[in-house]
Amino acid sequence: MAEVTKVVLAESEIPEAWYNIQPDLPSPLPPVLHPGTHQPIGPDDLAPLFPMALIGQEVSQDRYIDIPGAVLDIYKMWRPTPLYRALRLEKALDTPARIYFKYEGVSPVGSHKPNTAVPQVYYNAQEGTKRLTTETGAGQWGSALAFACAQFGIECEVWQVAISFQQKPYRRTLMEIFGATVHSSPSDLTNAGRTIRAQDPESPGSLGIAISEAVEAAAGADDTKYSLGSVLNHVLMHQTVIGEEAVKQMASIGEQPDLLVGCTGGGSNFGGLSFPFLREKMAGKMSPVIRCVEPTASPSLTKGVYAYDFGDAVGMAPMVKMHTLGHDFVPDPIHAGGLRYHGMAPLVSHLKELGLVEAEAIGQVECFERAVQFTRAEGIIPAPEPSHAIASTVREALKAKASGEEKVILTALCGHGHFDMGAYRSFLDGKLEDYEYPEEAVRSAMEKIPAVIG
Amino acid sequence: MAEVTKVVLAESEIPEAWYNIQPDLPSPLPPVLHPGTHQPIGPDDLAPLFPMALIGQEVSQDRYIDIPGAVLDIYKMWRPTPLYRALRLEKALDTPARIYFKYEGVSPVGSHKPNTAVPQVYYNAQEGTKRLTTETGAGQWGSALAFACAQFGIECEVWQVAISFQQKPYRRTLMEIFGATVHSSPSDLTNAGRTIRAQDPESPGSLGIAISEAVEAAAGADDTKYSLGSVLNHVLMHQTVIGEEAVKQMASIGEQPDLLVGCTGGGSNFGGLSFPFLREKMAGKMSPVIRCVEPTASPSLTKGVYAYDFGDAVGMAPMVKMHTLGHDFVPDPIHAGGLRYHGMAPLVSHLKELGLVEAEAIGQVECFERAVQFTRAEGIIPAPEPSHAIASTVREALKAKASGEEKVILTALCGHGHFDMGAYRSFLDGKLEDYEYPEEAVRSAMEKIPAVIG
């Protein structure tokens, strides 16, 4: 096989439909429950927060949903994204493994997030929404939504987790360049924020708290809706453009992955890459092992419990069955801000329970070591989030070196680290520490999770 | 004509040769002079600083020089780069002009600089160089050389202009991730640096000073050579891959530019885009106006004098005939660090004198206003340097709106602004000021320039 550096598709090969994995699941997803009644919720319960088109997509049993032309037009600003062969990393590792990475950092804000931000804003614009609220951790999601809102002329208001707001001031600047308004969360602008601040004025915040604030702000205004950057079914579905392109790209060079590796925070990047491959696997066309990688400091899949829990911190958001560390989980301030959510996408959690995907946790020091090694070889600086997938990939490549196996590994490089130089600075200065989520915290988390029949 | 969002070439369409404009010049370039004797210098004078292959390219009269396979292999990591139609900016401006931009921000370090860093390091590696020294302003060049050195396993030592070292700490981090060593310039490591610091301990530095330091460090060590990121003929030649691709891309959609606009600091990005178009123009195949845009604070082409001057601050580097503000020019601390050099590439200066290119100066506030407008429309955040070209493009697009002319404008978006968030922060906070290079400074600069027969 000729060695390729990158596989680039023509603009005409951008997928024209998203892949919805729900009809292909061996067993259906447990229902979403109302946070107050603990009963299954219907479309009307979600209508204050989301446009009907997205509510429909959330529960759709259609295998494919057409991507609107206006969304495709914007996707064309950066899609199709390149699939790279990491030839230089392979050489540095002296491994017989063939390593490929699908690179989403070419998007306007440098991550996979606009893949869902654009359709979410599009459907909102179609249904008359004037303002969107959201939460953001590291700021990748917030900047993606700000970009998409600028495209459709919709106001964007972002609650950013306080620790990231402080650690990553340049992400805030980025959101503001796109015209968004950014608040540090917990803020004094919502009841949820004020409550948390009364308990802990120095709270570093969490995605759960920021979600509570953004949801509250949206629920209280007529022309305002709320937008979530991960976790939900429709979000993961929008991200399948990544995997659909990668399936084509791998096929075009005659390769099939033995292992797929993606990092998981809320699960959208992982789902986006892996679901189309999982479809191929369930259809018997290939047989990759599919692996989630998460930080040891926020290990929902490897140490959390699979149970009904709230999506937010204060219990305003619907309850979903997922792997969770407890809805009031406040993570250690690791640098992978996008991987600090207390729960996991119900779809990814369900697939884990069904044994269709596996999970691994890695500490941030190893991740940064591998990210620097990757950068010196491949030239692209990974964001701290995908450095987890890279670290797992390198572990596998070194195993392949020991065994001599020509393993084909495909990983998701879901974003660049241009706005994470502070984290790299800490790493280079030897100031980075690993955090281990303690076993006793699992028991404590279980106690915080409401008992629900499900 | 069908509206395209971006024009992407196949990997096989990366140019296989650089275009050397020298044999096509209506009159030859004035010779380079020795800084001490003021006599024309030969290859031996340059041998302590550069490998023979590059010295040969500097004076070559061959129209095309083949790009080595090892360089093409690395170019494939990001080339060919996309040509975009700025459909959304056109709409925002309500202009009949058609605006295209060639985007070099997809390179590993986010600018056009690796186009020359890679071949420079390649030729050095071929000739046994173990360490390269260089200067950098904003850090775009330093990070490009650090990236290229990592590819070939060569040590990289960078003197960064002090004001940028302070204002843009993340560029330093970027260089260090690639394995480079970075010093704030003026430093205590060289005679040049110590002399400047003795005169002004708080010196903000300048590219000229940093060049003096890097040249001194290279000249004093056997296995060490020096690398320059702009100004020289071979550097501009390496950058012609930009223009060669753009010529193909414009032709593939049946467009010819009426106006080409590029920002000029040392001239390499401008030369890279424009020289292949200038070749077509001199051959009578098209007739674009070709325009340099520079900051009002560092206006070498619009206010400088065309004279022999030193390439560095202290008179160690060879003398070239160029538009210059005087070799000891210390610019105001504007944010476009890449546009603060005291002189201009001799090739660009010569073309300006011949009337083949024109020049315009724009203040940084207007540039940032247009950069923000551009970002909200096109999603890509320009570096402060190309925001000058964007501002000129917008001026033209608005003129076209007034006149109704369907003008075709092609501009060079030579890099993204991901490492320039501090500058954008200042702009958003209303803290940015314009600097005007004073008329009396021109007279003062002329007095500093040594009288040379040439």
Side-chain angles (χ1 to χ4, degrees), chain A residues 146-214:
Chain A
F147 155 70
C149 283
Q151 288 293 314
F152 290 97
I154 283 184
E155 271 185 70
C156 183
E157 196 164 353
V158 183
W159 276 262
Q160 183 173 25
V161 176
I163 183 76
S164 290
F165 187 89
Q166 293 153 18
Q167 275 183 2
K168 305 191 173 185
Y170 288 171
R171 283 270 182 199
R172 177 185 146 212
T173 301
L174 181 57
M175 293 183 260
E176 291 178 359
I177 291 171
F178 282 112
T181 304
V182 187
H183 312 294
S184 178
S185 170
S187 75
D188 284 328
L189 299 165
T190 65
N191 290 327
R194 285 186 292 267
T195 304
I196 301 283
R197 284 170 69 92
Q199 292 160 11
D200 177 8
E202 299 301 311
S203 167
S206 71
L207 273 178
I209 297 169
I211 292 172
S212 295
E213 294 204 89

Side-chain angles (χ1 to χ4, degrees), chain A residues 144-421:
Chain A
L145 193 69
F147 155 70
C149 283
Q151 288 293 314
F152 290 97
I154 283 184
E155 271 185 70
C156 183
E157 196 164 353
V158 183
W159 276 262
Q160 183 173 25
V161 176
I163 183 76
S164 290
F165 187 89
Q166 293 153 18
Q167 275 183 2
K168 305 191 173 185
Y170 288 171
R171 283 270 182 199
R172 177 185 146 212
T173 301
L174 181 57
M175 293 183 260
E176 291 178 359
I177 291 171
F178 282 112
T181 304
V182 187
H183 312 294
S184 178
S185 170
S187 75
D188 284 328
L189 299 165
T190 65
N191 290 327
R194 285 186 292 267
T195 304
I196 301 283
R197 284 170 69 92
Q199 292 160 11
D200 177 8
E202 299 301 311
S203 167
S206 71
L207 273 178
I209 297 169
I211 292 172
S212 295
E213 294 204 89
V215 164
E216 183 185 325
D222 269 353
D223 58 355
T224 303
K225 298 221 181 288
Y226 164 73
S227 183
L228 190 67
S230 191
V231 178
L232 298 179
N233 303 338
H234 69 266
V235 177
L236 274 62
M237 185 188 74
H238 296 156
Q239 293 293 353
T240 59
V241 290
I242 304 172
E244 293 289 20
E245 287 179 5
V247 165
K248 279 191 210 175
Q249 287 164 315
M250 292 293 278
S252 77
I253 52 169
E255 284 278 40
Q256 281 200 354
D258 297 309
L259 173 66
L260 238 82
V261 187
C263 64
T264 44
S268 76
N269 153 64
F270 174 81
L273 177 72
S274 68
F275 288 178
F277 284 93
L278 202 47
R279 174 191 63 209
E280 303 297 297
K281 184 179 182 176
M282 291 189 288
K285 294 183 192 164
M286 54 174 77
S287 51
V289 169
I290 300 180
R291 181 184 299 162
C292 306
V293 190
E294 61 188 11
T296 53
S298 186
S300 54
L301 281 170
T302 53
K303 288 198 176 171
V305 292
Y306 184 57
Y308 268 103
D309 196 5
F310 301 113
D312 70 334
V314 303
M316 285 176 56
M319 303 185 72
V320 291
K321 197 159 183 186
M322 60 180 176
H323 290 85
T324 176
L325 301 166
H327 56 274
D328 62 355
F329 170 69
V330 176
D332 285 306
I334 58 164
H335 282 287
L339 307 184
R340 286 197 297 239
Y341 184 58
H342 67 274
M344 180 50 58
L347 275 171
V348 174
S349 289
H350 189 61
L351 291 167
K352 170 84 173 4
E353 286 301 298
L354 292 170
L356 288 167
V357 306
E358 60 179 46
E360 177 178 33
I362 303 184
Q364 67 178 351
V365 174
E366 178 179 340
C367 293
F368 273 92
E369 283 167 0
R370 294 316 186 182
V372 167
Q373 183 174 33
F374 182 91
T375 305
R376 291 185 186 175
E378 297 297 327
I380 299 171
I381 302 174
E385 291 82 0
S387 75
H388 290 74
I390 289 169
S392 179
T393 297
V394 171
R395 284 183 179 184
E396 284 293 330
L398 293 176
K399 275 188 213 162
K401 180 185 178 182
S403 68
E405 192 189 353
E406 288 191 20
K407 194 169 223 173
V408 177
I409 308 172
L410 171 60
T411 187
L413 183 49
C414 60
H416 61 60
H418 298 173
F419 296 96
D420 301 284
M421 286 296 114

Side-chain angles (χ1 to χ4, degrees), chain A residues 6 76-77 79 84 177, chain B residues 6 76-77 79 84:
Chain A
K6 62 184 186 306
K76 285 177 191 166
M77 293 166 79
R79 306 209 70 86
Y84 279 92
I177 291 171
Chain B
K6 60 184 187 306
K76 285 177 190 167
M77 292 168 79
R79 304 209 72 85
Y84 279 91

Side-chain angles (χ1 to χ4, degrees), chain B residues 261-340:
Chain B
V261 187
C263 64
T264 45
S268 77
N269 153 63
F270 174 81
L273 178 71
S274 68
F275 289 178
F277 284 93
L278 201 47
R279 176 192 62 211
E280 303 298 296
K281 184 180 181 175
M282 290 188 287
K285 295 183 193 164
M286 55 174 78
S287 51
V289 170
I290 300 181
R291 180 183 300 163
C292 307
V293 190
E294 59 187 12
T296 53
S298 185
S300 54
L301 281 170
T302 53
K303 289 198 177 172
V305 292
Y306 185 58
Y308 268 103
D309 197 4
F310 301 113
D312 69 334
V314 303
M316 284 176 59
M319 302 185 72
V320 291
K321 196 158 184 187
M322 60 181 174
H323 289 85
T324 176
L325 300 167
H327 55 275
D328 62 355
F329 169 68
V330 176
D332 284 306
I334 57 164
H335 282 286
L339 306 185
R340 287 196 297 239

